[in-house]
Amino acid sequence: MRGDAREDGMVFYSYQKTKALKNGFYKERWCKPDFLSVSRNQIADWHQKNPDRMRALRSNWVVKNKERKAQQDRECALRNPEARKIARDKWDKLNPGRTNAAKTKNRLERLLRVPAWLTEDDKWMIEQAYELAKLRTEMFGFQWHVDHIIPLKGKKVSGLHVPTNLQVIPWQENLRKGSRLLHG
């Protein structure tokens, strides 16, 4: 799909000429160079020279496609668990204050989701769920997570940290589910 260039930078693309001949007419069309005449290196150079514009373009896309971006992130995490762990560890080392703050916030939110009417038997059953996840991890050789059936921080509904709201599932299923309430 290369074109013939003129002195003024205009390019004639042969695919346009072929399409015109198929339609029964022929007219030369000269146009400004576009992505067809630009190499990958030129695109990469533009990205490096215009980081602010690239950031704005990416953020606009992310804002318009939140669900799609979240799905892409989940799929990437499932495909590359080791790379995700390495990247997360690197981020944690570079941002120790934010990491500790996030962990503290999650711990406090979980404590707020534990009802006052929980009995000692209920607390024991919760501990057993976490022990079961650990046992299954050792037995099967891959991670098992304790998942909240009704998420603690869902968009439309929030659950409680009680034994009847817990299930032990493989880590891939837990990442795929995220903070959503799945029916079925």
Side-chain angles (χ1 to χ4, degrees):
M1 293 241 197
R2 289 236 187 257
D4 301 320
R6 276 190 344 196
E7 290 177 19
D8 60 358
M10 301 291 263
V11 177
F12 178 77
Y13 295 103
S14 58
Y15 76 92
Q16 292 174 333
K17 183 176 178 181
T18 306
K19 187 175 179 183
L21 288 172
K22 284 181 185 175
N23 292 333
F25 64 92
Y26 170 72
K27 181 179 175 186
E28 279 192 359
R29 279 204 328 187
W30 293 90
C31 58
K32 291 266 184 206
D34 60 1
F35 69 92
L36 295 173
S37 63
V38 178
S39 71
R40 288 182 190 264
N41 292 338
Q42 289 171 317
I43 292 171
D45 291 343
W46 186 88
H47 285 247
Q48 286 180 347
K49 290 177 185 174
N50 300 288
D52 295 336
R53 288 185 66 190
M54 283 308 304
R55 205 171 302 118
L57 289 172
R58 280 192 200 111
S59 64
N60 287 341
W61 184 88
V62 169
V63 167
K64 292 177 185 173
N65 301 287
K66 283 184 181 180
E67 287 296 321
R68 187 170 172 200
K69 175 67 174 143
Q71 181 65 27
Q72 286 177 350
D73 290 346
R74 280 190 295 275
E75 289 171 1
C76 182
L78 291 173
R79 282 193 310 269
N80 309 309
E82 295 84 18
R84 182 179 167 94
K85 182 175 178 359
I86 291 168
R88 183 66 195 185
D89 290 345
K90 181 179 176 183
W91 190 91
D92 287 348
K93 286 179 185 174
L94 292 173
N95 303 289
R98 291 179 71 184
T99 301
N100 291 337
K103 287 179 181 177
T104 303
K105 181 182 174 197
N106 287 340
R107 205 170 28 252
L108 288 174
E109 285 176 348
R110 178 164 290 160
L111 285 173
L112 291 174
R113 303 308 299 168
V114 176
W117 47 260
L118 214 60
T119 66
E120 290 301 316
D121 290 339
D122 292 333
K123 292 176 184 176
W124 178 81
M125 289 175 69
I126 291 171
E127 288 176 17
Q128 290 302 306
Y130 285 94
E131 297 227 0
L132 178 63
K134 184 178 176 185
L135 188 67
R136 285 185 180 175
T137 297
E138 292 170 3
M139 199 161 103
F140 290 105
F142 59 89
Q143 286 288 319
W144 286 72
H145 289 179
V146 177
D147 175 58
H148 292 89
I149 299 165
I150 301 172
L152 298 182
K153 297 190 297 183
K155 283 185 180 179
K156 296 183 180 179
V157 64
S158 294
L160 295 174
H161 188 62
V162 294
T164 55
N165 192 31
L166 299 178
Q167 63 182 351
V168 178
I169 59 175
W171 67 276
Q172 296 103 332
E173 295 299 320
N174 193 28
L175 286 182
R176 193 172 292 127
K177 178 181 178 275
S179 293
R180 293 180 307 233
L181 175 63
L182 298 180
H183 303 283

